[in-house]
C-alpha cells in the first residue's frame, strides 16, 4: 500500500513538472501588439464623412468584444466619423479616449511613431481600405495584401517580440 501511494505521488509530481515544462516561457508574449483594422461598414448617405451603417455598428461592437481581453493601451482613429465610431466601443471598454491621427500621413512615419510611443501592450488602429494594409505592412516590415473597397472583416495583428522581431497574423470577423 505504501508503495502504491509513493508511486502515485511520483506520477503526480512528474505530471506537474511536465505541465510546467510545456508551458510557454513568459518571454514568448509579445512586447507590443498592434491590431490594425479598416473602419466598419459605412452608411451610404452620399456625404464625404458618413456615419456607420447598422451593420457597421454591430461590427464595431464585435471588435470591442474581441479586444476586451487585450491589454489595450491606446486606440487610434482618423478624423472621420466612421473610424471614430468603429474604435469608440473598444476605447470605452478600456476607459480610453481615441487618439486622432492624420489619415494622409505616410504609413512608414505613422508606424515608426507607434513603435516608438506604444512599445508595450496592445494598440488598436482604425484606418481605411487604402491605409490600413500599408500601416500593418510598415509595422511588420512585411507584405500585406491590398484591401478592396468592399472588405470590412480583416484584422491585421502585428506582434513585436522583446528582440524587436515582428510577425503578422490575419484574422477575420465573420
Amino acid at each position: 500500500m505504501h508503495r502504491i501511494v509513493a508511486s502515485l505521488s511520483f506520477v503526480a509530481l512528474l505530471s506537474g513538472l511536465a505541465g510546467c515544462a510545456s508551458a510557454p516561457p513568459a518571454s514568448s508574449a509579445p512586447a507590443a501588439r498592434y491590431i490594425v483594422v479598416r473602419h466598419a461598414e459605412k452608411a451610404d448617405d452620399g456625404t464625404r464623412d458618413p456615419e456607420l451603417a447598422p451593420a457597421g455598428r454591430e461590427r464595431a461592437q464585435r471588435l470591442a468584444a474581441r479586444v476586451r481581453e487585450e491589454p489595450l493601451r491606446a486606440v487610434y482613429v482618423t478624423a472621420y466619423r466612421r473610424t471614430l465610431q468603429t474604435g469608440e466601443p473598444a476605447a470605452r471598454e478600456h476607459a480610453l479616449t481615441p487618439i486622432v491621427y492624420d489619415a494622409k500621413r505616410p504609413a512608414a512615419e505613422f508606424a515608426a511613431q507607434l513603435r516608438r510611443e506604444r512599445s508595450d501592450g496592445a494598440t488598436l488602429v482604425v484606418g481605411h481600405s487604402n491605409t490600413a494594409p500599408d500601416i500593418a505592412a510598415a509595422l511588420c516590415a512585411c507584405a500585406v495584401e491590398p484591401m478592396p473597397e468592399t472588405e470590412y472583416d480583416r484584422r491585421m495583428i502585428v506582434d513585436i517580440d522583446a528582440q524587436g522581431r515582428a510577425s503578422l497574423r490575419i484574422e477575420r470577423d465573420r
Side-chain angles (χ1 to χ4, degrees), residues 41-72:
E41 291 88 340
K42 59 189 173 184
D44 187 14
D45 66 4
T47 68
R48 183 164 151 57
D49 189 16
E51 293 192 0
L52 290 183
R57 290 186 187 281
E58 289 175 22
R59 186 177 304 278
Q61 291 300 324
R62 286 194 306 271
L63 175 62
R66 171 66 184 88
V67 301
R68 184 173 290 130
E69 300 303 318
E70 293 282 350
L72 205 60

PDB file of all heavy atoms in Angstrom, residues 41-72:
ATOM      1  N   GLU A  41     -18.574  48.969 -41.732  1.00  0.00           N
ATOM      2  CA  GLU A  41     -19.433  49.383 -42.844  1.00  0.00           C
ATOM      3  C   GLU A  41     -20.025  50.770 -42.614  1.00  0.00           C
ATOM      4  O   GLU A  41     -20.569  51.053 -41.555  1.00  0.00           O
ATOM      5  CB  GLU A  41     -20.583  48.379 -43.026  1.00  0.00           C
ATOM      6  CG  GLU A  41     -20.144  47.035 -43.525  1.00  0.00           C
ATOM      7  CD  GLU A  41     -19.747  46.056 -42.430  1.00  0.00           C
ATOM      8  OE1 GLU A  41     -19.431  46.485 -41.290  1.00  0.00           O
ATOM      9  OE2 GLU A  41     -19.730  44.856 -42.716  1.00  0.00           O
ATOM     10  N   LYS A  42     -19.907  51.598 -43.629  1.00  0.00           N
ATOM     11  CA  LYS A  42     -20.398  52.970 -43.528  1.00  0.00           C
ATOM     12  C   LYS A  42     -21.766  53.094 -44.201  1.00  0.00           C
ATOM     13  O   LYS A  42     -22.110  52.322 -45.096  1.00  0.00           O
ATOM     14  CB  LYS A  42     -19.402  53.938 -44.168  1.00  0.00           C
ATOM     15  CG  LYS A  42     -19.128  53.662 -45.624  1.00  0.00           C
ATOM     16  CD  LYS A  42     -17.992  54.499 -46.158  1.00  0.00           C
ATOM     17  CE  LYS A  42     -17.667  54.049 -47.579  1.00  0.00           C
ATOM     18  NZ  LYS A  42     -16.539  54.713 -48.134  1.00  0.00           N
ATOM     19  N   ALA A  43     -22.529  54.079 -43.741  1.00  0.00           N
ATOM     20  CA  ALA A  43     -23.827  54.365 -44.340  1.00  0.00           C
ATOM     21  C   ALA A  43     -23.606  54.954 -45.727  1.00  0.00           C
ATOM     22  O   ALA A  43     -22.621  55.663 -45.962  1.00  0.00           O
ATOM     23  CB  ALA A  43     -24.606  55.339 -43.454  1.00  0.00           C
ATOM     24  N   ASP A  44     -24.502  54.669 -46.617  1.00  0.00           N
ATOM     25  CA  ASP A  44     -24.422  55.218 -47.978  1.00  0.00           C
ATOM     26  C   ASP A  44     -25.320  56.446 -48.032  1.00  0.00           C
ATOM     27  O   ASP A  44     -26.442  56.392 -48.524  1.00  0.00           O
ATOM     28  CB  ASP A  44     -24.860  54.156 -48.993  1.00  0.00           C
ATOM     29  CG  ASP A  44     -24.643  54.605 -50.427  1.00  0.00           C
ATOM     30  OD1 ASP A  44     -23.917  55.600 -50.645  1.00  0.00           O
ATOM     31  OD2 ASP A  44     -25.217  53.956 -51.325  1.00  0.00           O
ATOM     32  N   ASP A  45     -24.809  57.553 -47.477  1.00  0.00           N
ATOM     33  CA  ASP A  45     -25.633  58.762 -47.409  1.00  0.00           C
ATOM     34  C   ASP A  45     -25.189  59.846 -48.390  1.00  0.00           C
ATOM     35  O   ASP A  45     -25.695  60.972 -48.354  1.00  0.00           O
ATOM     36  CB  ASP A  45     -25.669  59.307 -45.981  1.00  0.00           C
ATOM     37  CG  ASP A  45     -24.319  59.804 -45.493  1.00  0.00           C
ATOM     38  OD1 ASP A  45     -23.338  59.811 -46.274  1.00  0.00           O
ATOM     39  OD2 ASP A  45     -24.234  60.191 -44.310  1.00  0.00           O
ATOM     40  N   GLY A  46     -24.217  59.530 -49.237  1.00  0.00           N
ATOM     41  CA  GLY A  46     -23.774  60.486 -50.250  1.00  0.00           C
ATOM     42  C   GLY A  46     -22.823  61.556 -49.741  1.00  0.00           C
ATOM     43  O   GLY A  46     -22.396  62.402 -50.511  1.00  0.00           O
ATOM     44  N   THR A  47     -22.460  61.513 -48.456  1.00  0.00           N
ATOM     45  CA  THR A  47     -21.546  62.525 -47.923  1.00  0.00           C
ATOM     46  C   THR A  47     -20.125  61.990 -47.917  1.00  0.00           C
ATOM     47  O   THR A  47     -19.890  60.798 -48.055  1.00  0.00           O
ATOM     48  CB  THR A  47     -21.932  62.935 -46.486  1.00  0.00           C
ATOM     49  OG1 THR A  47     -21.695  61.835 -45.612  1.00  0.00           O
ATOM     50  CG2 THR A  47     -23.384  63.380 -46.402  1.00  0.00           C
ATOM     51  N   ARG A  48     -19.186  62.888 -47.724  1.00  0.00           N
ATOM     52  CA  ARG A  48     -17.777  62.502 -47.647  1.00  0.00           C
ATOM     53  C   ARG A  48     -17.423  61.910 -46.282  1.00  0.00           C
ATOM     54  O   ARG A  48     -16.435  61.212 -46.138  1.00  0.00           O
ATOM     55  CB  ARG A  48     -16.934  63.752 -47.919  1.00  0.00           C
ATOM     56  CG  ARG A  48     -15.451  63.520 -47.941  1.00  0.00           C
ATOM     57  CD  ARG A  48     -14.715  64.674 -48.597  1.00  0.00           C
ATOM     58  NE  ARG A  48     -13.383  64.914 -48.133  1.00  0.00           N
ATOM     59  CZ  ARG A  48     -12.382  64.043 -48.124  1.00  0.00           C
ATOM     60  NH1 ARG A  48     -12.572  62.821 -48.543  1.00  0.00           N
ATOM     61  NH2 ARG A  48     -11.188  64.381 -47.695  1.00  0.00           N
ATOM     62  N   ASP A  49     -18.247  62.182 -45.277  1.00  0.00           N
ATOM     63  CA  ASP A  49     -17.961  61.725 -43.916  1.00  0.00           C
ATOM     64  C   ASP A  49     -19.189  61.033 -43.314  1.00  0.00           C
ATOM     65  O   ASP A  49     -19.785  61.521 -42.350  1.00  0.00           O
ATOM     66  CB  ASP A  49     -17.542  62.920 -43.061  1.00  0.00           C
ATOM     67  CG  ASP A  49     -17.006  62.506 -41.693  1.00  0.00           C
ATOM     68  OD1 ASP A  49     -16.663  61.323 -41.501  1.00  0.00           O
ATOM     69  OD2 ASP A  49     -16.936  63.386 -40.813  1.00  0.00           O
ATOM     70  N   PRO A  50     -19.565  59.868 -43.873  1.00  0.00           N
ATOM     71  CA  PRO A  50     -20.765  59.188 -43.362  1.00  0.00           C
ATOM     72  C   PRO A  50     -20.522  58.524 -42.017  1.00  0.00           C
ATOM     73  O   PRO A  50     -19.390  58.222 -41.634  1.00  0.00           O
ATOM     74  CB  PRO A  50     -21.043  58.131 -44.434  1.00  0.00           C
ATOM     75  CG  PRO A  50     -19.706  57.829 -45.006  1.00  0.00           C
ATOM     76  CD  PRO A  50     -18.946  59.137 -44.979  1.00  0.00           C
ATOM     77  N   GLU A  51     -21.620  58.302 -41.323  1.00  0.00           N
ATOM     78  CA  GLU A  51     -21.581  57.529 -40.088  1.00  0.00           C
ATOM     79  C   GLU A  51     -21.583  56.049 -40.441  1.00  0.00           C
ATOM     80  O   GLU A  51     -21.718  55.685 -41.613  1.00  0.00           O
ATOM     81  CB  GLU A  51     -22.803  57.871 -39.236  1.00  0.00           C
ATOM     82  CG  GLU A  51     -22.781  59.294 -38.729  1.00  0.00           C
ATOM     83  CD  GLU A  51     -23.837  59.538 -37.659  1.00  0.00           C
ATOM     84  OE1 GLU A  51     -24.586  58.611 -37.307  1.00  0.00           O
ATOM     85  OE2 GLU A  51     -23.881  60.667 -37.171  1.00  0.00           O
ATOM     86  N   LEU A  52     -21.481  55.198 -39.423  1.00  0.00           N
ATOM     87  CA  LEU A  52     -21.567  53.767 -39.666  1.00  0.00           C
ATOM     88  C   LEU A  52     -23.007  53.361 -39.950  1.00  0.00           C
ATOM     89  O   LEU A  52     -23.950  53.908 -39.369  1.00  0.00           O
ATOM     90  CB  LEU A  52     -21.063  52.985 -38.454  1.00  0.00           C
ATOM     91  CG  LEU A  52     -19.574  53.041 -38.160  1.00  0.00           C
ATOM     92  CD1 LEU A  52     -19.245  52.156 -36.961  1.00  0.00           C
ATOM     93  CD2 LEU A  52     -18.736  52.639 -39.356  1.00  0.00           C
ATOM     94  N   ALA A  53     -23.151  52.384 -40.819  1.00  0.00           N
ATOM     95  CA  ALA A  53     -24.437  51.751 -41.062  1.00  0.00           C
ATOM     96  C   ALA A  53     -24.751  50.844 -39.874  1.00  0.00           C
ATOM     97  O   ALA A  53     -23.856  50.543 -39.063  1.00  0.00           O
ATOM     98  CB  ALA A  53     -24.356  50.924 -42.351  1.00  0.00           C
ATOM     99  N   PRO A  54     -25.982  50.385 -39.728  1.00  0.00           N
ATOM    100  CA  PRO A  54     -26.281  49.459 -38.626  1.00  0.00           C
ATOM    101  C   PRO A  54     -25.351  48.246 -38.601  1.00  0.00           C
ATOM    102  O   PRO A  54     -24.895  47.839 -37.519  1.00  0.00           O
ATOM    103  CB  PRO A  54     -27.743  49.064 -38.892  1.00  0.00           C
ATOM    104  CG  PRO A  54     -28.320  50.285 -39.553  1.00  0.00           C
ATOM    105  CD  PRO A  54     -27.206  50.794 -40.447  1.00  0.00           C
ATOM    106  N   ALA A  55     -25.029  47.679 -39.753  1.00  0.00           N
ATOM    107  CA  ALA A  55     -24.096  46.535 -39.788  1.00  0.00           C
ATOM    108  C   ALA A  55     -22.715  46.954 -39.284  1.00  0.00           C
ATOM    109  O   ALA A  55     -22.020  46.173 -38.636  1.00  0.00           O
ATOM    110  CB  ALA A  55     -23.991  45.981 -41.206  1.00  0.00           C
ATOM    111  N   GLY A  56     -22.317  48.178 -39.571  1.00  0.00           N
ATOM    112  CA  GLY A  56     -21.032  48.687 -39.096  1.00  0.00           C
ATOM    113  C   GLY A  56     -21.019  48.871 -37.588  1.00  0.00           C
ATOM    114  O   GLY A  56     -20.016  48.580 -36.928  1.00  0.00           O
ATOM    115  N   ARG A  57     -22.113  49.344 -37.043  1.00  0.00           N
ATOM    116  CA  ARG A  57     -22.202  49.491 -35.583  1.00  0.00           C
ATOM    117  C   ARG A  57     -22.105  48.126 -34.895  1.00  0.00           C
ATOM    118  O   ARG A  57     -21.439  47.982 -33.874  1.00  0.00           O
ATOM    119  CB  ARG A  57     -23.483  50.210 -35.188  1.00  0.00           C
ATOM    120  CG  ARG A  57     -23.457  51.677 -35.596  1.00  0.00           C
ATOM    121  CD  ARG A  57     -24.681  52.421 -35.063  1.00  0.00           C
ATOM    122  NE  ARG A  57     -24.730  53.762 -35.591  1.00  0.00           N
ATOM    123  CZ  ARG A  57     -24.004  54.792 -35.146  1.00  0.00           C
ATOM    124  NH1 ARG A  57     -23.158  54.611 -34.153  1.00  0.00           N
ATOM    125  NH2 ARG A  57     -24.115  55.985 -35.681  1.00  0.00           N
ATOM    126  N   GLU A  58     -22.752  47.122 -35.487  1.00  0.00           N
ATOM    127  CA  GLU A  58     -22.660  45.768 -34.943  1.00  0.00           C
ATOM    128  C   GLU A  58     -21.220  45.258 -35.022  1.00  0.00           C
ATOM    129  O   GLU A  58     -20.718  44.649 -34.080  1.00  0.00           O
ATOM    130  CB  GLU A  58     -23.587  44.828 -35.705  1.00  0.00           C
ATOM    131  CG  GLU A  58     -25.046  45.066 -35.428  1.00  0.00           C
ATOM    132  CD  GLU A  58     -25.952  44.198 -36.283  1.00  0.00           C
ATOM    133  OE1 GLU A  58     -25.498  43.137 -36.789  1.00  0.00           O
ATOM    134  OE2 GLU A  58     -27.121  44.585 -36.457  1.00  0.00           O
ATOM    135  N   ARG A  59     -20.545  45.511 -36.153  1.00  0.00           N
ATOM    136  CA  ARG A  59     -19.155  45.057 -36.306  1.00  0.00           C
ATOM    137  C   ARG A  59     -18.252  45.757 -35.285  1.00  0.00           C
ATOM    138  O   ARG A  59     -17.359  45.150 -34.716  1.00  0.00           O
ATOM    139  CB  ARG A  59     -18.646  45.305 -37.723  1.00  0.00           C
ATOM    140  CG  ARG A  59     -17.253  44.701 -37.944  1.00  0.00           C
ATOM    141  CD  ARG A  59     -16.768  44.870 -39.366  1.00  0.00           C
ATOM    142  NE  ARG A  59     -17.634  44.338 -40.363  1.00  0.00           N
ATOM    143  CZ  ARG A  59     -17.692  43.057 -40.739  1.00  0.00           C
ATOM    144  NH1 ARG A  59     -16.924  42.164 -40.137  1.00  0.00           N
ATOM    145  NH2 ARG A  59     -18.513  42.674 -41.688  1.00  0.00           N
ATOM    146  N   ALA A  60     -18.487  47.051 -35.041  1.00  0.00           N
ATOM    147  CA  ALA A  60     -17.685  47.784 -34.052  1.00  0.00           C
ATOM    148  C   ALA A  60     -17.866  47.174 -32.656  1.00  0.00           C
ATOM    149  O   ALA A  60     -16.896  47.077 -31.894  1.00  0.00           O
ATOM    150  CB  ALA A  60     -18.072  49.263 -34.058  1.00  0.00           C
ATOM    151  N   GLN A  61     -19.079  46.737 -32.334  1.00  0.00           N
ATOM    152  CA  GLN A  61     -19.324  46.089 -31.039  1.00  0.00           C
ATOM    153  C   GLN A  61     -18.604  44.741 -30.959  1.00  0.00           C
ATOM    154  O   GLN A  61     -18.039  44.391 -29.918  1.00  0.00           O
ATOM    155  CB  GLN A  61     -20.830  45.895 -30.803  1.00  0.00           C
ATOM    156  CG  GLN A  61     -21.583  47.184 -30.580  1.00  0.00           C
ATOM    157  CD  GLN A  61     -21.098  47.959 -29.372  1.00  0.00           C
ATOM    158  OE1 GLN A  61     -20.714  47.406 -28.345  1.00  0.00           O
ATOM    159  NE2 GLN A  61     -21.082  49.279 -29.491  1.00  0.00           N
ATOM    160  N   ARG A  62     -18.597  43.991 -32.071  1.00  0.00           N
ATOM    161  CA  ARG A  62     -17.871  42.708 -32.084  1.00  0.00           C
ATOM    162  C   ARG A  62     -16.368  42.929 -31.936  1.00  0.00           C
ATOM    163  O   ARG A  62     -15.690  42.150 -31.270  1.00  0.00           O
ATOM    164  CB  ARG A  62     -18.182  41.933 -33.374  1.00  0.00           C
ATOM    165  CG  ARG A  62     -19.581  41.333 -33.386  1.00  0.00           C
ATOM    166  CD  ARG A  62     -19.763  40.306 -34.487  1.00  0.00           C
ATOM    167  NE  ARG A  62     -19.425  40.755 -35.817  1.00  0.00           N
ATOM    168  CZ  ARG A  62     -20.253  41.354 -36.665  1.00  0.00           C
ATOM    169  NH1 ARG A  62     -21.497  41.623 -36.311  1.00  0.00           N
ATOM    170  NH2 ARG A  62     -19.851  41.690 -37.878  1.00  0.00           N
ATOM    171  N   LEU A  63     -15.858  43.992 -32.555  1.00  0.00           N
ATOM    172  CA  LEU A  63     -14.433  44.316 -32.408  1.00  0.00           C
ATOM    173  C   LEU A  63     -14.117  44.614 -30.945  1.00  0.00           C
ATOM    174  O   LEU A  63     -13.118  44.129 -30.401  1.00  0.00           O
ATOM    175  CB  LEU A  63     -14.056  45.504 -33.297  1.00  0.00           C
ATOM    176  CG  LEU A  63     -12.631  46.029 -33.157  1.00  0.00           C
ATOM    177  CD1 LEU A  63     -11.606  44.969 -33.546  1.00  0.00           C
ATOM    178  CD2 LEU A  63     -12.460  47.291 -34.013  1.00  0.00           C
ATOM    179  N   ALA A  64     -14.964  45.397 -30.297  1.00  0.00           N
ATOM    180  CA  ALA A  64     -14.749  45.718 -28.875  1.00  0.00           C
ATOM    181  C   ALA A  64     -14.749  44.444 -28.039  1.00  0.00           C
ATOM    182  O   ALA A  64     -13.903  44.279 -27.141  1.00  0.00           O
ATOM    183  CB  ALA A  64     -15.823  46.687 -28.382  1.00  0.00           C
ATOM    184  N   ALA A  65     -15.660  43.530 -28.335  1.00  0.00           N
ATOM    185  CA  ALA A  65     -15.695  42.263 -27.592  1.00  0.00           C
ATOM    186  C   ALA A  65     -14.435  41.451 -27.869  1.00  0.00           C
ATOM    187  O   ALA A  65     -13.879  40.828 -26.964  1.00  0.00           O
ATOM    188  CB  ALA A  65     -16.944  41.468 -27.979  1.00  0.00           C
ATOM    189  N   ARG A  66     -13.963  41.480 -29.106  1.00  0.00           N
ATOM    190  CA  ARG A  66     -12.765  40.715 -29.497  1.00  0.00           C
ATOM    191  C   ARG A  66     -11.518  41.206 -28.764  1.00  0.00           C
ATOM    192  O   ARG A  66     -10.652  40.430 -28.422  1.00  0.00           O
ATOM    193  CB  ARG A  66     -12.586  40.809 -31.012  1.00  0.00           C
ATOM    194  CG  ARG A  66     -11.301  40.272 -31.553  1.00  0.00           C
ATOM    195  CD  ARG A  66     -11.203  38.765 -31.370  1.00  0.00           C
ATOM    196  NE  ARG A  66      -9.938  38.263 -31.806  1.00  0.00           N
ATOM    197  CZ  ARG A  66      -8.839  38.176 -31.067  1.00  0.00           C
ATOM    198  NH1 ARG A  66      -8.832  38.589 -29.826  1.00  0.00           N
ATOM    199  NH2 ARG A  66      -7.729  37.685 -31.561  1.00  0.00           N
ATOM    200  N   VAL A  67     -11.406  42.508 -28.537  1.00  0.00           N
ATOM    201  CA  VAL A  67     -10.202  43.067 -27.899  1.00  0.00           C
ATOM    202  C   VAL A  67     -10.391  43.300 -26.394  1.00  0.00           C
ATOM    203  O   VAL A  67      -9.508  43.843 -25.749  1.00  0.00           O
ATOM    204  CB  VAL A  67      -9.713  44.364 -28.598  1.00  0.00           C
ATOM    205  CG1 VAL A  67      -9.386  44.104 -30.053  1.00  0.00           C
ATOM    206  CG2 VAL A  67     -10.704  45.501 -28.451  1.00  0.00           C
ATOM    207  N   ARG A  68     -11.507  42.848 -25.863  1.00  0.00           N
ATOM    208  CA  ARG A  68     -11.804  43.061 -24.441  1.00  0.00           C
ATOM    209  C   ARG A  68     -10.692  42.538 -23.530  1.00  0.00           C
ATOM    210  O   ARG A  68     -10.345  43.172 -22.540  1.00  0.00           O
ATOM    211  CB  ARG A  68     -13.131  42.392 -24.086  1.00  0.00           C
ATOM    212  CG  ARG A  68     -13.578  42.639 -22.654  1.00  0.00           C
ATOM    213  CD  ARG A  68     -14.975  42.117 -22.391  1.00  0.00           C
ATOM    214  NE  ARG A  68     -15.929  42.970 -23.113  1.00  0.00           N
ATOM    215  CZ  ARG A  68     -16.893  42.511 -23.903  1.00  0.00           C
ATOM    216  NH1 ARG A  68     -17.055  41.218 -24.085  1.00  0.00           N
ATOM    217  NH2 ARG A  68     -17.708  43.353 -24.499  1.00  0.00           N
ATOM    218  N   GLU A  69     -10.116  41.399 -23.845  1.00  0.00           N
ATOM    219  CA  GLU A  69      -9.081  40.791 -23.003  1.00  0.00           C
ATOM    220  C   GLU A  69      -7.669  41.266 -23.342  1.00  0.00           C
ATOM    221  O   GLU A  69      -6.714  40.884 -22.670  1.00  0.00           O
ATOM    222  CB  GLU A  69      -9.155  39.264 -23.097  1.00  0.00           C
ATOM    223  CG  GLU A  69     -10.492  38.690 -22.656  1.00  0.00           C
ATOM    224  CD  GLU A  69     -10.883  39.082 -21.235  1.00  0.00           C
ATOM    225  OE1 GLU A  69     -10.010  39.059 -20.348  1.00  0.00           O
ATOM    226  OE2 GLU A  69     -12.062  39.423 -21.018  1.00  0.00           O
ATOM    227  N   GLU A  70      -7.528  42.065 -24.376  1.00  0.00           N
ATOM    228  CA  GLU A  70      -6.212  42.602 -24.737  1.00  0.00           C
ATOM    229  C   GLU A  70      -5.810  43.689 -23.733  1.00  0.00           C
ATOM    230  O   GLU A  70      -6.670  44.421 -23.243  1.00  0.00           O
ATOM    231  CB  GLU A  70      -6.244  43.232 -26.137  1.00  0.00           C
ATOM    232  CG  GLU A  70      -6.463  42.263 -27.265  1.00  0.00           C
ATOM    233  CD  GLU A  70      -5.229  41.479 -27.643  1.00  0.00           C
ATOM    234  OE1 GLU A  70      -4.119  41.812 -27.153  1.00  0.00           O
ATOM    235  OE2 GLU A  70      -5.371  40.529 -28.412  1.00  0.00           O
ATOM    236  N   PRO A  71      -4.521  43.830 -23.460  1.00  0.00           N
ATOM    237  CA  PRO A  71      -4.075  44.943 -22.605  1.00  0.00           C
ATOM    238  C   PRO A  71      -4.022  46.238 -23.429  1.00  0.00           C
ATOM    239  O   PRO A  71      -2.962  46.822 -23.648  1.00  0.00           O
ATOM    240  CB  PRO A  71      -2.690  44.480 -22.153  1.00  0.00           C
ATOM    241  CG  PRO A  71      -2.202  43.623 -23.280  1.00  0.00           C
ATOM    242  CD  PRO A  71      -3.422  42.935 -23.829  1.00  0.00           C
ATOM    243  N   LEU A  72      -5.187  46.661 -23.889  1.00  0.00           N
ATOM    244  CA  LEU A  72      -5.282  47.809 -24.802  1.00  0.00           C
ATOM    245  C   LEU A  72      -4.874  49.089 -24.090  1.00  0.00           C
ATOM    246  O   LEU A  72      -5.425  49.437 -23.048  1.00  0.00           O
ATOM    247  CB  LEU A  72      -6.710  47.916 -25.338  1.00  0.00           C
ATOM    248  CG  LEU A  72      -6.920  48.601 -26.664  1.00  0.00           C
ATOM    249  CD1 LEU A  72      -6.157  47.889 -27.773  1.00  0.00           C
ATOM    250  CD2 LEU A  72      -8.398  48.633 -27.009  1.00  0.00           C
TER     251      LEU A  72
END
